[in-house]
Amino acid sequence: MEINHPETHAEVSAAFARYEQALVTNDVAVLDELFWDSPHTIRYGAGENLYGAAEIQAFRAARPSVGLARELDRTVITTFGRDFATANTLFHRNGKVGRQSQSWARLPGLGWRVVSAHVSMMA
């Protein structure tokens, strides 16, 4: 298995950047698109445990749309072969530090999608 194949790493990095832009601008359509539309998709957050795309989409629809700007720090994207990757980052928002971890998979006909995500606040 090749770790961090350059072309694959560039693809996942671009998908992650697109996700981050959609997150801070509250582009819910893009966020919903980038998460795998499956009951197997999971997102754990600071105060929620969401199972399946429908729960994740409902959470996003109800989330406040202001105060979403943040700065990323120590982002590490690692690809495993050509179809799986992880993205991990610290973020700073309103004087607090959080962390985000995502598992990405290249899905046939869809491209790169988040299949599992975890977000937590540390301070």
Side-chain angles (χ1 to χ4, degrees):
M1 174 183 304
E2 186 173 2
I3 306 297
N4 286 337
H5 174 266
E7 184 178 302
T8 305
H9 192 272
E11 290 172 4
V12 177
S13 295
F16 179 81
R18 186 171 177 232
Y19 172 88
E20 185 63 24
Q21 179 64 30
L23 183 70
V24 300
T25 61
N26 202 38
D27 189 338
V28 175
V30 170
L31 294 170
D32 288 346
E33 172 194 331
L34 289 174
F35 268 71
W36 182 30
D37 188 3
S38 168
H40 301 291
T41 304
I42 297 172
R43 180 188 184 279
Y44 293 117
E48 67 279 347
N49 298 307
L50 307 171
Y51 294 83
E55 287 185 14
I56 296 167
Q57 290 168 357
F59 165 78
R60 284 230 165 72
R63 190 177 92 165
S65 61
V66 295
L68 300 175
R70 64 191 197 163
E71 293 182 32
L72 300 185
D73 185 27
R74 303 187 70 175
T75 302
V76 176
I77 296 172
T78 307
T79 63
F80 302 87
R82 300 200 185 211
D83 297 318
F84 185 77
T86 60
N88 295 279
T89 193
L90 295 177
F91 61 88
H92 304 270
R93 175 186 287 147
N94 301 325
K96 295 182 180 178
V97 178
R99 70 180 141 217
Q100 172 181 305
S101 176
Q102 299 169 330
S103 297
W104 290 77
R106 183 195 314 263
L107 299 170
L110 298 174
W112 289 101
R113 297 293 185 265
V114 175
V115 296
S116 177
H118 179 263
V119 178
S120 61
M121 298 306 291
M122 297 187 305

